[in-house]
Amino acid sequence: MNHYSYYPGVLQFEISSNCNAQCPGCVRNIFVKSEDPAVNTDIHTIQVSTHPDIPKNVYLDLDVFKSIFTERVVEKLKHIEFIGTIDDPLVHPEFLQMLEFLTETLPEVRIVIHSNASLRTPEYFEEMAHILKKVNHRFAFSIDGLEDTNHLYRRNTSWDKIMSNARAFIAAGGTATWQYLIFSWNEHQVDDAKSLAKEMGFIEFRARNDRSLKGVDFKEAAIYTVGKTTFEKEKAIHDPQAQDSDIDCVMRPRGMYFVNYEGNVWPCCFLNNQFYRKEGALAENRFRFNGNYGNNWNNLYHHTIDEILDNKFYTEDLVDSWDSVEHTTGPKGRIFKCTKTCTKKSLQVNPFSDHKTTKLN
């Protein structure tokens, strides 16, 4: 038995299917080809729409959320992160109740929240700060530029609302980080944003080069969208990569588990997100999981968290699959997403530890 991680060290949550923003690099969105070729060329004009497979208004049940924190789960738990890949956690109607539950029952666990912060009100942010300041926490305001550039990526957000909410949160005792994705259109504003963050009372400024749109040709992306493929075509692409580079999972050392809005438990957001990508939509890819472990095998509405962590996928198959150099539908065949994300060579190209953090206060 070679368990992926018997005790979770980090739990990441995606608690709803909703987000107020429409960021072009987010997995929840796809590029839309315009009849006007000029529209398809850059960030100012490119159009996106919500992925057709993402439903509206699906929320992780509060009682299901609470049921996750069993004796085994909390044994070595260090971090809880609300960093959903298709949602903003503040959309969930019971998010504050979740935070109250965590601060009361797990006061030693650090809470990290990521949000575009352009929803709710200053009063909501004040209440959230009062709840969180009882524990070690960090609220990451995802702000990618200044007033004239943030909206280019963080679409459908309001600069004035973000600033008002940030000031209210900080004034109420909240610990805030300004998290900045660097693109070609905002790289000249990093120093000015850092100065503004310090002036407002942020404790740190974290910047990293964007990975989601790195090297993207918008014209090609608009044509590509989700795309069509076959299992055989993906094997032809990924098998040589598997033979050429070993897996170096970036999540296993942290004991990472990811819970999505449907209550499905994955080892990371990448395996969760694969189902929104062309190779993940394949029937063979879905059989790779449900065919081997049964429908709802990792779903919290059908199994306890402890039962899920003791599923054969986690107790041996996932780790064993990293030794395979062939992508198959069998339980120990390499997973496409593991090869795309966590081979040693891919991590050299797109590292996950490239944040540059500046302490401000």
XYZ file of all heavy atoms in Angstrom, residues 133-204:
590
model
N -10.209 37.324 12.654
C -9.075 37.837 13.435
C -8.841 37.053 14.732
O -7.828 37.245 15.393
C -9.240 39.321 13.724
C -10.384 39.707 14.631
C -10.439 41.236 14.740
C -11.540 41.710 15.663
N -11.590 43.187 15.742
N -9.750 36.127 15.031
C -9.556 35.252 16.192
C -8.544 34.148 15.893
O -8.060 33.482 16.811
C -10.894 34.626 16.593
C -11.937 35.625 17.082
C -13.257 34.953 17.414
C -13.975 34.460 16.172
N -15.349 33.936 16.477
N -8.219 33.934 14.605
C -7.321 32.847 14.222
C -6.272 33.363 13.231
O -6.372 34.469 12.707
C -8.103 31.680 13.571
C -9.148 31.125 14.527
C -8.760 32.137 12.265
N -5.287 32.511 12.973
C -4.291 32.819 11.950
C -4.968 32.747 10.582
O -5.541 31.713 10.216
C -3.143 31.811 12.043
C -1.999 32.126 11.092
O -2.048 33.095 10.344
N -0.975 31.302 11.121
N -4.910 33.812 9.830
C -5.609 33.835 8.554
C -4.898 34.767 7.570
O -4.065 35.585 7.964
C -7.059 34.303 8.732
C -7.180 35.768 9.032
N -7.032 36.283 10.300
C -7.410 36.850 8.223
C -7.189 37.598 10.270
N -7.405 37.963 9.023
N -5.271 34.612 6.316
C -4.809 35.526 5.265
C -5.903 35.626 4.213
O -6.372 34.610 3.702
C -3.512 35.017 4.625
C -2.993 35.901 3.497
C -1.589 35.483 3.070
N -1.561 34.185 2.420
C -1.743 34.001 1.097
N -1.995 35.032 0.310
N -1.692 32.794 0.577
N -6.310 36.846 3.924
C -7.281 37.079 2.855
C -6.514 37.639 1.663
O -5.952 38.734 1.737
C -8.378 38.050 3.291
C -9.534 38.126 2.327
C -10.735 37.507 2.615
C -9.420 38.802 1.116
C -11.812 37.561 1.735
C -10.481 38.868 0.222
C -11.681 38.240 0.535
N -6.470 36.882 0.582
C -5.743 37.299 -0.613
C -6.686 38.024 -1.557
O -7.586 37.417 -2.144
C -5.123 36.096 -1.298
N -6.499 39.327 -1.670
C -7.254 40.130 -2.626
C -6.574 39.984 -3.985
O -5.456 40.453 -4.187
C -7.267 41.596 -2.198
C -8.132 41.884 -1.007
C -7.717 41.561 0.277
C -9.371 42.493 -1.166
C -8.511 41.839 1.377
C -10.182 42.775 -0.065
C -9.746 42.440 1.210
N -7.249 39.320 -4.912
C -6.676 39.096 -6.243
C -6.926 40.333 -7.096
O -8.003 40.512 -7.665
C -7.296 37.854 -6.887
O -7.016 36.710 -6.116
N -5.914 41.184 -7.168
C -6.024 42.467 -7.867
C -4.861 42.554 -8.846
O -3.711 42.708 -8.444
C -5.982 43.656 -6.888
C -6.936 43.429 -5.720
C -6.310 44.951 -7.608
C -6.821 44.465 -4.615
N -5.168 42.476 -10.113
C -4.126 42.346 -11.132
C -3.947 43.632 -11.925
O -4.252 43.712 -13.122
C -4.458 41.191 -12.076
C -4.710 39.904 -11.313
O -4.025 39.683 -10.310
O -5.599 39.134 -11.723
N -3.460 44.655 -11.222
C -3.239 45.931 -11.873
C -3.790 47.066 -11.035
O -4.068 46.905 -9.844
N -3.975 48.191 -11.669
C -4.569 49.352 -11.023
C -5.922 49.641 -11.671
O -6.453 48.809 -12.418
C -3.622 50.542 -11.124
C -2.276 50.374 -10.391
C -1.368 51.559 -10.633
C -2.504 50.150 -8.893
N -6.476 50.784 -11.410
C -7.840 51.089 -11.858
C -8.008 50.958 -13.366
O -9.079 50.570 -13.843
C -8.226 52.500 -11.403
C -9.658 52.865 -11.712
C -10.068 54.189 -11.102
O -9.187 54.891 -10.557
O -11.271 54.528 -11.154
N -6.968 51.265 -14.126
C -7.091 51.246 -15.581
C -6.734 49.899 -16.214
O -6.873 49.735 -17.428
C -6.221 52.346 -16.203
C -4.746 52.161 -15.889
O -4.430 51.589 -14.837
O -3.904 52.591 -16.707
N -6.279 48.919 -15.403
C -5.875 47.633 -15.985
C -6.482 46.412 -15.305
O -6.602 45.356 -15.935
C -4.333 47.479 -15.945
O -3.886 47.638 -14.590
C -3.652 48.494 -16.849
N -6.853 46.491 -14.017
C -7.328 45.303 -13.315
C -8.493 44.636 -14.034
O -8.579 43.406 -14.103
C -7.749 45.669 -11.887
C -8.224 44.455 -11.102
O -7.505 43.489 -10.926
N -9.472 44.516 -10.644
N -9.382 45.434 -14.604
C -10.579 44.893 -15.241
C -10.301 44.164 -16.554
O -11.170 43.445 -17.066
C -11.565 46.033 -15.518
C -11.059 47.025 -16.524
N -10.137 47.991 -16.200
C -11.323 47.184 -17.851
C -9.858 48.715 -17.274
N -10.564 48.243 -18.282
N -9.101 44.334 -17.115
C -8.792 43.654 -18.376
C -8.780 42.141 -18.183
O -9.190 41.392 -19.072
C -7.441 44.118 -18.916
C -7.364 45.589 -19.332
C -5.949 45.949 -19.777
C -8.367 45.887 -20.446
N -8.300 41.691 -17.021
C -8.332 40.265 -16.711
C -9.474 39.945 -15.761
O -10.250 39.020 -16.003
C -6.993 39.832 -16.098
C -6.944 38.342 -15.846
C -6.807 37.460 -16.913
C -7.057 37.813 -14.562
C -6.783 36.083 -16.699
C -7.027 36.443 -14.342
C -6.896 35.580 -15.407
O -6.880 34.228 -15.209
N -9.594 40.713 -14.673
C -10.680 40.498 -13.697
C -11.956 41.162 -14.223
O -12.420 42.180 -13.723
C -10.296 41.078 -12.339
C -9.040 40.489 -11.741
C -9.262 39.104 -11.175
N -7.988 38.429 -10.887
C -7.872 37.218 -10.393
N -8.961 36.511 -10.132
N -6.696 36.685 -10.172
N -12.498 40.563 -15.259
C -13.670 41.152 -15.920
C -14.906 41.098 -15.026
O -15.071 40.185 -14.224
C -13.936 40.426 -17.239
C -12.786 40.596 -18.227
C -13.112 40.044 -19.576
N -12.023 40.310 -20.512
C -12.096 40.075 -21.817
N -13.195 39.565 -22.346
N -11.056 40.338 -22.589
N -15.762 42.090 -15.180
C -17.001 42.229 -14.416
C -16.745 42.606 -12.957
O -17.618 42.417 -12.110
C -17.841 40.946 -14.453
C -18.294 40.593 -15.860
O -18.307 41.440 -16.750
N -18.654 39.346 -16.068
N -15.566 43.109 -12.672
C -15.280 43.571 -11.315
C -15.229 45.090 -11.279
O -15.000 45.739 -12.289
C -13.940 43.009 -10.788
O -12.858 43.533 -11.579
C -13.930 41.491 -10.839
N -15.434 45.638 -10.091
C -15.461 47.089 -9.898
C -14.278 47.503 -9.018
O -14.158 47.049 -7.877
C -16.774 47.513 -9.237
O -16.677 48.820 -8.703
N -13.428 48.365 -9.555
C -12.278 48.850 -8.798
C -12.719 49.540 -7.507
O -12.138 49.320 -6.439
C -11.461 49.792 -9.663
C -10.319 50.449 -8.953
C -10.288 51.691 -8.388
C -9.031 49.874 -8.700
N -9.066 51.940 -7.814
C -8.279 50.834 -7.991
C -8.446 48.655 -9.009
C -6.966 50.604 -7.585
C -7.134 48.413 -8.615
C -6.415 49.384 -7.903
N -13.743 50.365 -7.591
C -14.200 51.107 -6.405
C -14.698 50.160 -5.320
O -14.435 50.372 -4.122
C -15.307 52.098 -6.793
C -14.780 53.262 -7.631
O -13.556 53.510 -7.589
O -15.579 53.909 -8.325
N -15.432 49.094 -5.704
C -15.905 48.135 -4.716
C -14.742 47.389 -4.071
O -14.724 47.159 -2.855
C -16.866 47.128 -5.366
C -18.250 47.673 -5.684
C -19.256 46.552 -5.834
C -19.556 45.905 -4.492
N -20.706 44.992 -4.528
N -13.779 47.009 -4.875
C -12.618 46.292 -4.347
C -11.896 47.140 -3.313
O -11.553 46.664 -2.225
C -11.656 45.910 -5.491
C -12.331 44.929 -6.449
C -10.368 45.310 -4.924
C -11.580 44.727 -7.751
N -11.668 48.389 -3.640
C -10.937 49.273 -2.736
C -11.733 49.502 -1.442
O -11.175 49.493 -0.341
C -10.653 50.613 -3.432
C -9.656 50.520 -4.598
S -7.973 50.028 -4.076
C -7.948 48.304 -4.582
N -13.039 49.702 -1.567
C -13.872 49.924 -0.376
C -13.887 48.693 0.523
O -13.779 48.796 1.751
C -15.305 50.284 -0.792
O -15.338 51.513 -1.492
N -14.025 47.530 -0.087
C -14.049 46.292 0.686
C -12.706 46.016 1.358
O -12.654 45.577 2.509
C -14.436 45.119 -0.215
C -15.900 45.149 -0.630
O -16.726 45.768 0.034
N -16.227 44.487 -1.728
N -11.623 46.281 0.645
C -10.294 46.058 1.217
C -10.053 46.977 2.408
O -9.542 46.547 3.455
C -9.222 46.263 0.151
N -10.410 48.226 2.263
C -10.211 49.176 3.362
C -11.041 48.780 4.582
O -10.576 48.869 5.730
C -10.561 50.587 2.895
C -9.546 51.184 1.919
C -9.791 52.679 1.682
N -8.715 53.259 0.877
C -8.730 53.381 -0.439
N -9.821 52.967 -1.115
N -7.709 53.908 -1.095
N -12.272 48.335 4.356
C -13.134 47.929 5.472
C -12.571 46.700 6.175
O -12.565 46.620 7.407
C -14.548 47.645 4.960
N -12.079 45.736 5.414
C -11.533 44.507 5.983
C -10.291 44.798 6.816
O -10.160 44.326 7.950
C -11.193 43.529 4.856
C -10.691 42.196 5.316
C -11.561 41.223 5.789
C -9.329 41.894 5.276
C -11.102 39.984 6.210
C -8.856 40.665 5.697
C -9.744 39.707 6.165
N -9.409 45.609 6.297
C -8.165 45.937 6.996
C -8.450 46.760 8.252
O -7.878 46.519 9.318
C -7.197 46.664 6.047
C -6.741 45.707 4.929
C -5.993 47.207 6.803
C -6.006 46.388 3.790
N -9.352 47.729 8.129
C -9.685 48.576 9.270
C -10.306 47.780 10.412
O -10.158 48.137 11.589
C -10.634 49.685 8.831
N -10.988 46.683 10.066
C -11.645 45.852 11.090
C -10.710 44.808 11.683
O -11.136 43.985 12.494
C -12.874 45.173 10.488
N -9.438 44.844 11.296
C -8.461 43.922 11.885
C -8.124 42.710 11.055
O -7.432 41.807 11.533
N -8.598 42.678 9.803
C -8.298 41.550 8.938
C -6.877 41.596 8.402
O -6.323 42.680 8.187
N -6.292 40.420 8.178
C -4.949 40.313 7.609
C -5.075 40.130 6.104
O -5.645 39.137 5.639
C -4.189 39.116 8.212
O -4.118 39.280 9.627
C -2.793 39.008 7.633
N -4.534 41.092 5.344
C -4.769 41.116 3.905
C -3.480 41.062 3.105
O -2.490 41.709 3.440
C -5.559 42.377 3.529
N -3.530 40.300 2.029
C -2.448 40.216 1.042
C -2.972 40.723 -0.293
O -4.089 40.408 -0.689
C -1.973 38.758 0.869
O -1.399 38.313 2.080
C -0.957 38.638 -0.245
N -2.165 41.524 -0.967
C -2.483 41.927 -2.352
C -1.788 40.910 -3.240
O -0.571 40.809 -3.263
C -1.965 43.332 -2.623
C -2.321 43.893 -3.976
C -2.227 43.286 -5.188
C -2.823 45.213 -4.256
N -2.623 44.116 -6.206
C -2.993 45.318 -5.654
C -3.125 46.318 -3.448
C -3.454 46.490 -6.267
C -3.587 47.479 -4.069
C -3.753 47.564 -5.458
N -2.571 40.124 -3.993
C -2.017 39.097 -4.881
C -2.161 39.545 -6.326
O -3.258 39.805 -6.798
C -2.721 37.761 -4.661
C -2.039 36.608 -5.363
C -2.142 35.316 -4.577
O -1.684 35.219 -3.438
N -2.755 34.321 -5.171
N -1.042 39.608 -7.015
C -0.959 40.275 -8.311
C -0.429 39.314 -9.364
O 0.694 38.818 -9.253
C -0.015 41.473 -8.151
C 0.015 42.504 -9.243
C -0.486 43.784 -9.017
C 0.613 42.261 -10.474
C -0.421 44.774 -9.986
C 0.678 43.232 -11.454
C 0.160 44.482 -11.205
O 0.238 45.476 -12.180
N -1.241 39.041 -10.385
C -0.780 38.284 -11.536
C -0.166 39.249 -12.533
O -0.781 40.261 -12.893
C -1.935 37.533 -12.196
C -2.560 36.377 -11.416
C -3.710 35.775 -12.214
C -1.540 35.311 -11.103
N 1.044 38.941 -12.973
C 1.753 39.838 -13.883
C 1.496 39.422 -15.330
O 1.775 38.295 -15.734
C 3.265 39.825 -13.600
C 3.547 40.254 -12.164
C 3.998 40.739 -14.578
C 5.006 40.135 -11.771
N 0.945 40.353 -16.092
C 0.719 40.177 -17.521
C 1.489 41.267 -18.274
O 2.000 42.214 -17.664
C -0.776 40.308 -17.860
C -1.666 39.327 -17.164
C -2.308 39.669 -15.983
C -1.896 38.072 -17.700
C -3.151 38.780 -15.339
C -2.734 37.163 -17.061
C -3.363 37.523 -15.884
N 1.505 41.179 -19.591
C 2.204 42.189 -20.381
C 1.554 43.563 -20.234
O 2.230 44.585 -20.330
C 2.222 41.778 -21.863
O 0.890 41.645 -22.364
N 0.242 43.587 -19.970
C -0.470 44.865 -19.904
C -0.466 45.512 -18.518
O -0.958 46.617 -18.353
C -1.917 44.691 -20.380
C -2.677 43.622 -19.627
C -3.330 43.745 -18.443
C -2.836 42.262 -20.025
N -3.896 42.557 -18.063
C -3.618 41.620 -19.019
C -2.415 41.524 -21.134
C -3.979 40.281 -19.103
C -2.772 40.180 -21.199
C -3.541 39.579 -20.201
N 0.080 44.807 -17.497
C 0.109 45.424 -16.164
C 1.480 45.352 -15.490
O 1.636 45.778 -14.350
C -0.944 44.799 -15.245
C -0.625 43.352 -14.880
O 0.431 42.816 -15.204
N -1.555 42.708 -14.202
N 2.470 44.808 -16.199
C 3.783 44.616 -15.579
C 4.456 45.941 -15.207
O 5.267 45.984 -14.282
C 4.688 43.796 -16.488
C 4.945 44.400 -17.851
C 5.741 43.460 -18.747
O 6.217 42.417 -18.245
O 5.872 43.761 -19.952
N 4.076 47.013 -15.885
C 4.675 48.316 -15.592
C 4.093 48.957 -14.326
O 4.609 49.980 -13.870
C 4.459 49.265 -16.776
C 3.017 49.584 -17.051
N 2.124 48.662 -17.553
C 2.294 50.731 -16.864
C 0.935 49.214 -17.682
N 1.004 50.477 -17.268
N 3.057 48.334 -13.752
C 2.382 48.929 -12.598
C 2.666 48.199 -11.284
O 2.101 48.561 -10.253
C 0.869 48.934 -12.845
C 0.432 49.806 -14.018
C -1.065 49.731 -14.252
O -1.681 48.671 -14.141
N -1.667 50.871 -14.582
N 3.537 47.229 -11.307
C 3.785 46.439 -10.107
C 4.251 47.310 -8.942
O 3.735 47.207 -7.812
C 4.816 45.321 -10.384
C 5.232 44.641 -9.083
C 4.244 44.297 -11.364
N 5.203 48.169 -9.173
C 5.741 49.007 -8.091
C 4.686 49.976 -7.559
O 4.596 50.205 -6.340
C 6.968 49.781 -8.565
C 8.185 48.885 -8.760
O 8.203 47.781 -8.179
O 9.100 49.275 -9.498
N 3.879 50.540 -8.449
C 2.824 51.460 -7.997
C 1.765 50.711 -7.185
O 1.255 51.230 -6.181
C 2.169 52.148 -9.204
C 3.077 53.183 -9.856
O 4.024 53.634 -9.190
O 2.836 53.530 -11.031
N 1.414 49.513 -7.616
C 0.441 48.712 -6.873
C 0.995 48.338 -5.500
O 0.273 48.354 -4.492
C 0.078 47.456 -7.665
N 2.264 48.023 -5.446
C 2.906 47.681 -4.178
C 2.875 48.875 -3.221
O 2.606 48.723 -2.018
C 4.345 47.242 -4.438
C 5.040 46.594 -3.261
C 6.480 46.218 -3.608
C 6.541 45.272 -4.791
N 7.946 44.889 -5.103
N 3.112 50.065 -3.748
C 3.072 51.274 -2.911
C 1.668 51.526 -2.385
O 1.476 51.899 -1.221
C 3.556 52.487 -3.722
O 4.907 52.338 -4.102
N 0.661 51.322 -3.247
C -0.725 51.507 -2.823
C -1.102 50.485 -1.760
O -1.785 50.810 -0.778
C -1.660 51.392 -4.027
C -3.165 51.504 -3.746
C -3.491 52.835 -3.060
C -3.971 51.341 -5.035
N -0.657 49.259 -1.937
C -0.944 48.210 -0.954
C -0.374 48.575 0.413
O -1.037 48.405 1.445
C -0.367 46.881 -1.434
N 0.834 49.073 0.447
C 1.455 49.474 1.707
C 0.682 50.616 2.345
O 0.422 50.621 3.560
C 2.911 49.890 1.470
C 3.653 50.295 2.735
C 5.112 50.600 2.448
C 5.843 51.044 3.699
N 5.851 50.011 4.763
N 0.288 51.575 1.537
C -0.469 52.734 2.029
C -1.802 52.302 2.639
O -2.252 52.868 3.645
C -0.717 53.700 0.868
C -1.596 54.879 1.180
C -1.962 55.666 -0.075
O -1.080 55.838 -0.943
O -3.132 56.074 -0.195
N -2.430 51.286 2.069
C -3.742 50.840 2.532
C -3.665 49.922 3.748
O -4.687 49.658 4.375
C -4.477 50.124 1.388
C -4.862 51.028 0.232
S -5.654 50.106 -1.121
C -7.143 49.496 -0.314
N -2.501 49.395 4.058
C -2.373 48.542 5.228
C -2.307 47.055 4.950
O -2.427 46.244 5.884
N -2.102 46.666 3.686
C -1.874 45.252 3.377
C -0.575 44.817 4.053
O 0.393 45.586 4.111
C -1.748 45.051 1.868
C -3.051 45.078 1.119
C -3.607 46.278 0.701
C -3.718 43.893 0.820
C -4.809 46.304 -0.008
C -4.908 43.912 0.113
C -5.463 45.115 -0.295
N -0.530 43.586 4.545
C 0.685 43.122 5.228
C 1.748 42.636 4.252
O 2.933 42.593 4.590
C 0.385 42.009 6.249
C -0.124 40.740 5.528
C -0.592 42.473 7.303
C -0.010 39.489 6.361
N 1.314 42.240 3.056
C 2.284 41.765 2.083
C 1.748 41.938 0.672
O 0.539 42.074 0.442
C 2.658 40.295 2.329
C 1.520 39.322 2.182
C 1.932 37.874 2.481
O 3.063 37.662 2.961
O 1.123 36.967 2.211
